[in-house]
Amino acid sequence: MWAPTLLSLLYFSHNLCSTLLSDFGSYSTLTHSLSSLRCWVSFRFSGAFFFLIEESMAVLILLFLLAASVVAADEDAFIGVNIGTDLSDMPHPTQVVALLKAQQIRHIRLYDADRAMLLALANTGIQVMISVPNEQLLGIGQSNSTAANWVSHNVVAHYPVTNITAISVGSEVLTTIPNAATVLVNALKFIHSALVASNLDRQIKVSTPLSSSIILDSFPPSQAFLNRSWNPVLVPMLNFLQSTGSFLMLNIYPYYDYMQSNGVIPLDYALFKPLPPNKEAVDANTLLHYSNVFDAMVDAAYFAMAFLNFTNIPVIVTESGWPSKGDANEPDATLENANTYNSNLIRHVLNKTGTPKHPGIAVSTYIYELYNEDTKAGPVSEKNWGLFDANGSPIYILHLTGSGLVLANDTTNQTYCAVKNGADPKMVQAALDWACGAGKVDCTPLSQGQSCYEPDNVLAHASYAFDTYYHQMGKAPGTCDFKGVAAITTTDPSHGTCIFPGSVGKNGSLVNITAPSMNSTSSEFSSHSSIHGSGLTSIFMTIAFLIWCGVLL
């Protein structure tokens, strides 16, 4: 009775294994290895007893493979922001970092490698993509030693205290400074060689952002191809990205696609608004349905690379956004549309929606941009892509309910955590000790001579520590309790030079709120406890997998 069932299950799992491998193999060496192992084990033995073990093993590893793929997607998907500097009153780097912390922004892209900014980012854990500006590209692309010096001054001097994870070499070089295109691949290789020499090539990836206009005939995506006139540059560039395990950087602007389409692209399709099935665009070759410009362009990039036989280079979107204000001939550059696009984009990425070609594989994206750049040349829209003004105030409040804490940028209704009136001082002291110890709160400001030392009493010190922990944990329910001695308040407890986390300090920028530590632990003083289901599942699957390996090998 059981043999036909197991045979059917084996056949099913083998085919599913092959399908998963074709979809996910490009993204994970582990997935490939596990798939190979499962297929080997499935046919290793012939006896009925071993066959039963084989099938259990096959199913177990198949489940493990699924879990591993999901976890990889969870870990890789993020929303970052670009930080431009064309402002008449550019905030100081420490203010920029304070705003990043307040908004739980853990990934940023700089258009240069400004030393002051990199120093301000030190010890924050924020993942930083630095850039070789276009004006430096020719020098670096013509001289290995110039590239080595650049890496020495801008990477080695700061890493790992500043968490540099990628280098973008130039920006839209092929379409903005085509005369430098001949040295682009050399520049990529020279920068990478300098990283290899410093033993940093595994930690820091090198690529170059391309304009999506380099993709021709982008719809239907399955027929898209890269501009063939640039093949002498693109083919060796893609070879470099593939051989170094890097990613294709792509700038995608549905706003411009919509504006230039002469009404062919509906506004809702550009803005990620939900569409009924009969309004979705259908790729006649694949029958995949597309409900937004962003996904169609990402898949067009994948198909265009496949046309050149590159199928395992992931795409990362280095710029995307929507302007909140425009000239008279830009009627759709509005606050409402900018809010709609960026809110929907953030949800789309963080909810791991993926694209029709790669469902569930989210495309990490950097929003353009953190600040409005009032000194930028061009139409009014060019100055109004920012999420915040120079004072750190939001241009609009993103609609991000249920999409995590990143960029939940309502700075108008701040809440704080403080000691309750009438709380037992002994209980408060115990909670303070925990917060500054196991709670991993940086209580340095409470030391003698520091900004929050005065008034020197347990209630004042505890309020600072409680509020810091509350914000570190993203103001999650139960993180302002401390066995009943703390409570949430809307009154800013800052005083004198002691500015509490979440407080609006000078120039309106939110101050020093650190995102939750990846190795923070739960405690007896906090009722907030969370275990990520997929992570726990992966742990159990890993243990089971190792046990089965021990049984069979």
Side-chain angles (χ1 to χ4, degrees), residues 148-276:
N149 286 335
W150 192 93
V151 168
S152 176
H153 286 94
N154 299 302
V155 180
V156 177
H158 298 281
Y159 187 89
V161 179
T162 299
N163 190 16
I164 300 170
T165 58
I167 301 173
S168 64
V169 179
S171 180
E172 301 189 348
V173 173
L174 303 185
T175 48
T176 58
I177 51 169
N179 61 306
T182 55
V183 301
L184 177 58
V185 175
N186 277 346
L188 292 169
K189 290 180 177 178
F190 290 165
I191 291 290
H192 181 259
S193 294
L195 292 174
V196 171
S198 299
N199 200 28
L200 293 176
D201 55 301
R202 292 187 179 181
Q203 298 92 324
I204 301 173
K205 298 302 179 184
V206 181
S207 187
T208 183
L210 300 178
S211 167
S212 61
S213 65
I214 202 75
I215 302 172
L216 303 183
D217 290 346
S218 58
F219 202 92
S222 61
Q223 293 181 191
F225 58 93
L226 296 168
N227 190 329
R228 293 185 179 94
S229 65
W230 287 115
N231 276 5
V233 176
L234 290 171
V235 172
M237 183 198 80
L238 293 172
N239 267 319
F240 168 82
L241 298 180
Q242 181 172 263
S243 65
T244 60
S246 190
F247 30 72
L248 180 75
M249 295 180 175
L250 193 65
N251 294 344
I252 297 178
Y253 285 102
Y255 172 74
Y256 290 128
D257 294 327
Y258 163 74
M259 290 289 289
Q260 296 163 9
S261 73
N262 296 318
V264 173
I265 295 178
L267 181 60
D268 286 356
Y269 183 71
L271 290 172
F272 276 102
K273 284 189 174 181
L275 298 176

Side-chain angles (χ1 to χ4, degrees), residues 472-535:
Q472 279 183 182
M473 301 307 294
K475 301 192 290 187
T479 56
C480 180
D481 180 70
F482 296 92
K483 283 197 168 179
V485 299
I488 294 172
T489 177
T490 56
T491 301
D492 188 348
S494 301
H495 51 87
T497 60
C498 182
I499 309 300
F500 276 48
S503 175
V504 178
K506 292 182 180 180
N507 294 325
S509 58
L510 288 155
V511 298
N512 295 333
I513 304 171
T514 306
S517 169
M518 292 301 291
N519 47 10
S520 293
T521 57
S522 59
S523 86
E524 58 179 316
F525 289 104
S526 172
S527 62
H528 173 68
S529 177
S530 172
I531 299 177
H532 195 287
S534 65

Side-chain angles (χ1 to χ4, degrees), residues 80-85 87 90-91 95-101 103 105 107-111 117 320 366-373 385-390 392-396 407 409:
V81 295
N82 290 275
I83 303 179
T85 57
L87 285 76
M90 180 67 195
Q95 292 176 309
V96 176
V97 172
L99 181 60
L100 297 175
K101 288 182 176 181
Q103 295 302 314
I105 297 169
H107 299 79
I108 65 167
R109 176 186 172 216
L110 306 178
Y111 286 93
M117 192 70 219
S320 193
Y366 293 84
I367 292 177
Y368 186 82
E369 57 185 335
L370 187 63
Y371 294 113
N372 274 344
E373 296 185 274
W385 290 81
L387 299 172
F388 298 88
D389 63 21
S393 299
I395 304 300
Y396 45 84
L407 279 169
N409 62 355

Side-chain angles (χ1 to χ4, degrees), residues 124-457:
T124 63
I126 294 172
Q127 297 190 29
V128 184
M129 179 190 298
I130 59 175
S131 302
V132 174
N134 282 349
E135 57 268 23
Q136 296 180 25
L137 186 64
L138 280 172
I140 286 175
Q142 294 173 339
S143 169
N144 210 334
S145 61
T146 301
N149 286 335
W150 192 93
V151 168
S152 176
H153 286 94
N154 299 302
V155 180
V156 177
H158 298 281
Y159 187 89
V161 179
T162 299
N163 190 16
I164 300 170
T165 58
I167 301 173
S168 64
V169 179
S171 180
E172 301 189 348
V173 173
L174 303 185
T175 48
T176 58
I177 51 169
N179 61 306
T182 55
V183 301
L184 177 58
V185 175
N186 277 346
L188 292 169
K189 290 180 177 178
F190 290 165
I191 291 290
H192 181 259
S193 294
L195 292 174
V196 171
S198 299
N199 200 28
L200 293 176
D201 55 301
R202 292 187 179 181
Q203 298 92 324
I204 301 173
K205 298 302 179 184
V206 181
S207 187
T208 183
L210 300 178
S211 167
S212 61
S213 65
I214 202 75
I215 302 172
L216 303 183
D217 290 346
S218 58
F219 202 92
S222 61
Q223 293 181 191
F225 58 93
L226 296 168
N227 190 329
R228 293 185 179 94
S229 65
W230 287 115
N231 276 5
V233 176
L234 290 171
V235 172
M237 183 198 80
L238 293 172
N239 267 319
F240 168 82
L241 298 180
Q242 181 172 263
S243 65
T244 60
S246 190
F247 30 72
L248 180 75
M249 295 180 175
L250 193 65
N251 294 344
I252 297 178
Y253 285 102
Y255 172 74
Y256 290 128
D257 294 327
Y258 163 74
M259 290 289 289
Q260 296 163 9
S261 73
N262 296 318
V264 173
I265 295 178
L267 181 60
D268 286 356
Y269 183 71
L271 290 172
F272 276 102
K273 284 189 174 181
L275 298 176
N278 64 330
K279 296 291 185 181
E280 293 177 341
V282 181
D283 186 324
N285 299 313
T286 63
L287 299 182
L288 294 174
H289 286 237
Y290 289 87
S291 59
N292 61 80
V293 173
F294 182 91
D295 282 351
M297 191 59 71
V298 170
D299 277 357
Y302 280 120
F303 279 110
M305 287 192 289
F307 186 79
L308 294 175
N309 295 317
F310 295 97
T311 58
N312 60 348
I313 301 174
V315 171
I316 186 171
V317 176
T318 34
E319 292 180 15
S320 193
W322 197 282
S324 60
K325 187 178 180 181
D327 286 319
N329 63 342
E330 299 177 297
D332 295 298
T334 65
L335 285 170
E336 180 181 358
N337 286 343
N339 194 342
T340 298
Y341 179 80
N342 283 323
S343 295
N344 288 340
L345 172 62
I346 293 169
R347 276 195 297 269
H348 189 69
V349 172
L350 298 185
N351 292 349
K352 318 294 189 300
T353 306
T355 67
K357 180 173 170 59
H358 293 297
I361 305 297
V363 180
S364 296
T365 301
Y366 293 84
I367 292 177
Y368 186 82
E369 57 185 335
L370 187 63
Y371 294 113
N372 274 344
E373 296 185 274
D374 62 322
T375 62
K376 200 156 193 176
V380 170
S381 61
E382 278 299 307
K383 309 172 192 293
N384 289 278
W385 290 81
L387 299 172
F388 298 88
D389 63 21
N391 291 322
S393 299
I395 304 300
Y396 45 84
I397 305 302
L398 290 162
H399 305 312
L400 295 177
T401 303
S403 295
L405 300 171
V406 65
L407 279 169
N409 62 355
D410 187 352
T411 61
T412 59
N413 296 300
Q414 292 302 310
T415 56
Y416 309 87
C417 182
V419 175
K420 272 184 180 178
N421 289 333
D424 182 348
K426 291 183 178 178
M427 290 287 290
V428 173
Q429 181 65 61
L432 171 60
D433 293 342
W434 177 86
C436 294
K440 300 185 183 299
V441 170
D442 179 8
C443 291
T444 304
L446 302 177
S447 302
Q448 188 169 3
Q450 299 299 314
S451 59
C452 293
Y453 178 71
E454 297 291 347
D456 180 19
N457 63 67

